[in-house]
Amino acid sequence: MKYFEASNSLFLLNEQQRNQFSRLEYYDYFYHLIHPDFHSLSFANFSLSDLWVYYYFEEVPIINSEHALHYLLRNFMLNEVLISAKFKRLKKTTIGSYTNALMAAVLTVNLFMDILSELLSSIPKEESDFYMKFENSSKQLFNDRFATYEHYPKKLVLIETMIIKSMRGYLEQHEATYTDRKLNVIRFMDQFTITKRELFELPVV
């Protein structure tokens, strides 16, 4: 699976943005910072790329409505970021910087993956295992060749919808904890940018 192809993005990118997006392959080491339970799964890696787009570009591109319907969990997480003033605050230090935008994206993805890890442990193991096996496959499963298989993609979509409903409920019930987690991301990014400046930028003479 190629995580650096603009065609996989939740956004509709223009040619210049697509070229900038393709350069993510030179920063693939950031993808290894994803929560260890999820770093090998495509939807987590694609989510990191989605959020990089949000943090990197000053103007947020238009969302690909078709992909939004196919990748429900990715779209849910992206929308949580889009409506959050605290995540928007991070953009002051990430716009135009590959590394800053990627680090902010990693921290944001891990915030949601920590919550997802808790939610997956609370649903039946059979359904959890099924979702983890076919995660991010809903687009492929909508292909006509799967039409004869009763549980595809319906079962995957139902489980994903249940996960999203549970995550939405979690965020509402644990609003204070969710806010603290977002603030931790902001604090980390503040320190990250300061440390990066001290290590790599030449002092003003």
Side-chain angles (χ1 to χ4, degrees):
M1 189 70 69
K2 295 182 179 180
Y3 307 124
F4 317 113
E5 290 186 355
S7 59
N8 291 318
S9 177
L10 280 182
F11 294 101
L12 294 171
L13 306 176
N14 60 36
E15 184 176 356
Q16 181 182 5
Q17 292 168 334
R18 292 169 74 92
N19 289 335
Q20 291 170 297
F21 187 96
S22 67
R23 291 190 62 200
L24 287 176
E25 64 179 312
Y26 301 115
Y27 301 87
D28 61 347
Y29 48 91
F30 277 93
Y31 289 74
H32 296 286
L33 299 177
I34 293 175
H35 190 299
D37 291 342
F38 299 95
H39 73 84
S40 63
L41 300 182
S42 57
F43 84 90
N45 287 278
F46 282 130
S47 291
L48 194 157
S49 298
D50 296 334
L51 293 175
W52 174 84
V53 171
Y54 169 77
Y55 286 122
Y56 183 81
F57 295 109
E58 184 171 4
E59 296 294 330
V60 181
I62 297 172
I63 292 177
N64 184 325
S65 57
E66 181 181 354
H67 284 189
L69 288 174
H70 288 156
Y71 305 123
L72 301 178
L73 184 55
R74 284 170 60 191
N75 187 54
F76 173 80
M77 292 189 291
L78 175 62
N79 277 304
E80 275 296 312
V81 172
L82 290 174
I83 65 175
S84 171
K86 288 183 171 57
F87 286 128
K88 186 176 182 179
R89 175 177 158 189
L90 285 178
K91 286 175 68 77
K92 294 180 181 178
T93 60
T94 62
I95 294 173
S97 169
Y98 275 86
T99 53
N100 285 13
L102 278 166
M103 181 56 75
V106 167
L107 295 170
T108 306
V109 167
N110 282 343
L111 183 159
F112 288 111
M113 293 304 102
D114 286 342
I115 296 172
L116 181 60
S117 182
E118 296 178 31
L119 296 178
L120 287 176
S121 65
S122 66
I123 68 175
K125 188 175 186 304
E126 179 183 354
E127 295 184 349
S128 175
D129 291 345
F130 180 89
Y131 180 75
M132 296 297 276
K133 180 179 180 180
F134 291 105
E135 50 81 32
N136 206 69
S137 299
S138 49
K139 183 177 182 181
Q140 292 89 322
L141 293 174
F142 274 100
N143 190 290
D144 289 342
R145 67 193 179 93
F146 286 99
T148 58
Y149 294 86
E150 179 182 355
H151 298 300
Y152 304 93
K154 183 178 179 180
K155 184 174 181 180
L156 179 68
V157 173
L158 288 175
I159 294 174
E160 193 166 34
T161 302
M162 179 182 65
I163 290 171
I164 292 171
K165 184 178 179 180
S166 297
M167 184 173 284
R168 183 179 289 114
Y170 179 98
L171 297 181
E172 292 174 355
Q173 294 172 23
H174 301 83
E175 184 177 356
T177 301
Y178 182 37
T179 298
D180 286 343
R181 290 182 175 186
K182 287 189 283 187
L183 289 174
N184 285 337
V185 171
I186 293 172
R187 294 187 192 101
F188 187 98
M189 280 304 301
D190 287 342
Q191 189 58 52
F192 176 79
T193 53
I194 291 172
T195 302
K196 179 183 169 186
R197 190 181 306 120
E198 291 175 345
L199 289 175
F200 300 108
E201 293 185 9
L202 294 174
V204 178
V205 179

